Amino acid sequence: MADPLADPEHALALSYAPPARRAALHALWGIDERFGAIVAGTSEAAIGEMRLLWWREALEREAGAAPAEPLLREIDALVKPLGIGGEEIGAMVEGWHALLHAPLGRADIKRFARERGGRLFALSARLLGGDDAEVARAGEGWALVDL
């Protein structure tokens, strides 16, 4: 998995988070990185879809029931206890799914921005004790730029 801290922008963003929440944010952003790596490394859409579905299902399992995957263990230990459900995290898959089928249309790109960036930023804000709709909109913009 690509380490979000290896990206200077991610490391800078995490440095502003309260120390007690940094590990949870790191794990959450690690899931997003993993989804991105799956899409980037997939030459056949059906295989990418199966891999993303596996991750979604693994995230949706109850804490402790997920496969012995280090990133899933981090989510179970650090994120779920803070009130972020695996279903919510797994829903980011929908954004990444939008990129698996070419050619991309306007609706696909909007879906990617909303389901990837909007969700990631909204969940990050919740981990930090906030819940502002504008954060999700900022995440959508970030996802488009990151794309």
Side-chain angles (χ1 to χ4, degrees):
M1 173 186 88
D3 183 356
L5 289 177
D7 181 337
E9 294 163 355
H10 291 175
L12 178 63
L14 284 173
S15 74
Y16 284 99
R21 295 289 196 244
R22 285 183 190 152
L25 281 171
H26 183 258
L28 179 63
W29 283 67
I31 288 289
D32 178 67
E33 291 284 332
R34 180 65 57 95
F35 292 166
I38 289 169
V39 171
T42 297
S43 58
E44 302 225 9
I47 293 170
E49 287 176 6
M50 288 188 302
R51 292 179 70 200
L52 288 171
L53 179 62
W54 181 90
W55 274 93
R56 183 174 195 160
E57 289 175 351
L59 284 162
E60 291 175 354
R61 292 184 181 127
E62 288 187 33
E69 208 305 324
L71 187 52
L72 292 171
R73 288 183 181 168
E74 287 181 35
I75 293 294
D76 280 355
L78 302 169
V79 179
K80 289 181 179 179
L82 297 174
I84 305 293
E87 301 82 22
E88 297 173 280
I89 301 166
M92 287 191 303
V93 160
E94 294 306 316
W96 288 105
H97 269 284
L99 299 183
L100 288 173
H101 301 283
L104 295 178
R106 182 179 209 128
D108 299 315
I109 293 170
K110 284 183 176 183
R111 180 175 153 212
F112 169 75
R114 183 182 61 251
E115 300 298 331
R116 185 234 176 165
R119 284 188 185 276
L120 179 61
F121 274 46
L123 293 175
S124 297
R126 280 185 43 209
L127 283 176
L128 297 172
D131 191 18
D132 185 344
E134 294 300 312
V135 172
R137 288 185 37 182
E140 291 176 20
W142 168 83
L144 293 173
V145 170
D146 191 54
L147 179 61

